[in-house]
Amino acid sequence: MGELSKTAAYWVLRVLSFFFCMNETFFAPCPRGLENALATELGLLGAVAPKTSSGGVHFHGELSLAYRVNLESRLASRVLWHITRQPYRNEHDIYTIAYDIDWTRYFTAERTLRIDLAATHSPLTSLTYATLRIKDAVCDRFRAEGLERPFIDKQSPDVRVYAYLSEDEATIYLDTSGEALFKRGYRLHNEEAPLRENLAAGLLTLAGWTPDVPLFDPMCGGGTIAIEAALIAARQAPGLKRSFSFQKLNWFDGPTWQRLKQRARDAVRTAPESPMIFAGDISESAVEHAIACAAHINVADWINFSVADVRHREAPAPAGVWLTNPPYGVRLEDSDILAALYPALGTTLKKHFAGWHAWIFSSDSLLPKLIGLKPERRIPLFNGALDCRLYGFKMVKGSMRRIKPPRPKLPAPALP
Ligand SMILES: C[S@@+](CC[C@H](N)C(=O)[O-])C[C@H]1O[C@@H](n2cnc3c(N)ncnc32)[C@H](O)[C@@H]1O
């Protein structure tokens, strides 16, 4: 071999080892509107070259980075491990792309399996059929290797394969998370319309809240915003109480995982004597439930809970961040109640919360206007498919311009 080809071979090997040993590619989906915040968070967790796209962030790193992101990310919904991306035209191509993957490298035949598929502008007529073809390809590949085929379990599979079809490309991922990451393991049952946990953490990030500043959620429901804030203040990794799909994959490295978990446990701080996170609700049962959830994830001591009508609230500190997700209309009869509540909210903020920064998260474009205060910020966000806004109001004593509330003529009710 000539000197030149030796050098070329060396560099090919270097590049291959870089790509195959160290540089895996991942995609972390998140609630739409949180992509930039997630990219920043992933960078802090050690992700290489995080790059946003609609509904998530692509990034690179070693496999152990996926462990860390699953354990510590407050904003990601999942961590998907990129396996392949290929052009396709029909279901047969999809089958071949999935069959060509050596699945036995990733998991054993004893693992149960689920396939999920999403598509935008795909020319295929039946996505269900395409999903079945991927399932067949994975099972056929196991049989071709002389092994049993894995069983399908749609409820609680060990391994989830995700396929994403664009107009002409199929991307196949292995899900390293399992249950979505917003399922932190502290929700005991659902109170009225709880926020997803990663969305609540995202609202705190967008509101610019930091643990040295008092926080108040006067309509806390199941307590999601306050509990997420307490987890941040306590430096408690949100995934400490749950397990993940990567633990079922062949390449799972137990000692590395135990090291990461121990480091996360060591980082946890104890609560101060006077907590600065305040939360409450008019419903006693909602507050009881929120306290139970907070206790379940060991942050009850970080939150000062109380039962009260928001209209009678006074500020618990001279300044801070008020962040809340008020009720919104699902039935027509809700309209009158809400049309009365929102102006009263504005009055309470104006009378008792001068010096505070108030943030209201709502899917209703009319109701925030009823509050009678001019929002300084309107941040678009999605709660699932629901188009929402995070409205920011700076409460300055005496200088807030009061907007005359529009007549309470409300549109068709929104979804919870
Ligand atoms: C959309 S839910 C909040 C959900 C909460 N963010 C969560 O993640 O669980 C609205 C909450 O406002 C509360 N609420 C309604 N009217 C209220 C009032 N006048 N004062 C205080 N809380 C009120 C309801 O009891 C309900 O729990």
Side-chain angles (χ1 to χ4, degrees):
M1 205 192 282
E3 224 23 65
L4 199 65
S5 35
K6 264 194 211 158
T7 315
Y10 168 78
W11 279 109
V12 168
L13 275 175
R14 281 290 300 267
V15 171
L16 285 179
S17 74
F18 178 74
F19 278 104
F20 287 109
C21 305
M22 295 178 59
N23 202 9
E24 303 297 335
T25 300
F26 303 99
F27 179 67
C30 66
R32 274 190 289 155
L34 290 184
E35 295 90 342
N36 286 331
L38 174 60
T40 305
E41 183 193 56
L42 289 172
L44 292 172
L45 292 175
V48 176
K51 187 168 164 269
T52 58
S53 74
S54 174
V57 178
H58 300 272
F59 62 101
H60 303 272
E62 295 182 44
L63 264 183
S64 58
L65 175 67
Y67 302 180
R68 183 162 183 213
V69 175
N70 274 297
L71 179 64
E72 296 186 30
S73 171
R74 301 182 191 279
L75 307 180
S77 300
R78 299 184 169 278
V79 181
L80 304 176
W81 181 13
H82 178 117
I83 306 297
T84 190
R85 174 177 299 145
Q86 307 276 341
Y88 79 98
R89 275 168 307 171
N90 50 39
E91 289 85 352
H92 178 70
D93 293 342
I94 302 284
Y95 177 91
T96 310
I97 292 166
Y99 185 86
D100 284 347
I101 297 167
D102 182 0
W103 294 102
T104 63
R105 288 178 65 219
Y106 296 102
F107 58 93
T108 61
E110 290 75 44
R111 296 300 186 196
T112 57
L113 180 66
R114 172 183 165 134
I115 316 284
D116 284 288
L117 184 141
T120 36
H121 310 301
S122 168
L124 301 188
T125 45
S126 166
L127 296 183
T128 311
Y129 183 55
T131 312
L132 280 175
R133 294 308 286 149
I134 296 174
K135 189 255 310 171
D136 290 344
V138 178
C139 293
D140 290 352
R141 180 67 196 243
F142 268 90
R143 281 209 207 86
E145 303 288 337
L147 298 162
E148 291 291 312
R149 51 155 284 183
F151 279 106
I152 302 299
D153 178 351
K154 289 191 176 167
Q155 295 308 315
S156 54
D158 296 325
V159 175
R160 291 169 197 243
V161 170
Y162 272 84
Y164 173 69
L165 306 182
S166 69
E167 193 178 353
D168 52 7
E169 280 189 323
T171 310
I172 298 200
Y173 299 98
L174 258 179
D175 178 15
T176 68
S177 304
E179 288 267 55
L181 294 180
F182 54 78
K183 297 192 178 170
R184 319 278 207 222
Y186 64 73
R187 186 86 71 200
L188 300 174
H189 58 86
N190 279 352
E191 276 296 323
E192 189 189 328
L195 285 175
R196 286 198 171 160
E197 292 77 346
N198 59 340
L199 180 56
L203 297 180
L204 287 159
T205 308
L206 295 176
W209 176 76
T210 48
D212 52 329
V213 174
L215 177 79
F216 186 29
D217 179 358
M219 289 177 279
C220 73
T224 322
I225 292 173
I227 293 172
E228 290 298 315
L231 288 170
I232 294 169
R235 297 196 188 145
Q236 187 171 320
L240 261 180
K241 245 188 142 39
R242 52 164 283 171
S243 59
F244 301 94
S245 234
F246 62 74
Q247 295 171 261
K248 306 265 177 72
L249 297 178
N250 287 354
W251 292 0
F252 174 56
D253 171 0
T256 298
W257 174 230
Q258 287 313 325
R259 259 198 312 280
L260 281 171
K261 268 183 96 166
Q262 193 52 51
R263 197 177 65 180
R265 281 192 207 102
D266 293 344
V268 176
R269 301 195 310 169
T270 48
E273 268 181 29
S274 316
M276 292 209 292
I277 301 168
F278 301 87
D281 201 283
I282 198 167
S283 154
E284 200 173 331
S285 73
V287 173
E288 276 167 11
H289 176 238
I291 294 172
C293 291
H296 196 61
I297 197 150
N298 305 327
V299 294
D301 292 346
W302 284 87
I303 308 169
N304 195 325
F305 282 107
S306 55
V307 177
D309 187 325
V310 63
R311 289 168 285 203
H312 305 141
R313 288 287 192 182
E314 300 214 347
V321 170
W322 146 310
L323 173 58
T324 202
N325 162 221
Y328 45 92
V330 274
R331 294 158 308 200
L332 267 181
E333 57 263 35
D334 294 334
S335 306
D336 290 346
I337 302 169
L338 298 176
L341 176 65
Y342 273 75
L345 266 185
T347 307
T348 302
L349 277 170
K350 190 139 170 56
K351 256 173 126 174
H352 301 297
F353 286 82
W356 282 63
H357 215 132
W359 296 87
I360 295 185
F361 180 66
S362 176
S363 62
D364 195 313
S365 60
L366 192 58
L367 287 182
K369 287 178 193 150
L370 291 171
I371 203 169
L373 302 170
K374 190 171 164 50
E376 189 195 32
R377 301 277 309 275
R378 293 166 193 262
I379 305 176
L381 279 164
F382 279 81
N383 183 8
L386 209 57
D387 190 2
C388 301
R389 295 285 179 280
L390 177 62
Y391 298 91
F393 306 89
K394 204 163 187 178
M395 305 310 301
V396 182
K397 201 166 189 165
S399 69
M400 180 60 69
R401 186 158 69 94
R402 246 193 108 75
I403 311 287
K404 197 169 170 238
R407 283 171 62 77
K409 229 173 82 191
L410 299 178
L415 294 169

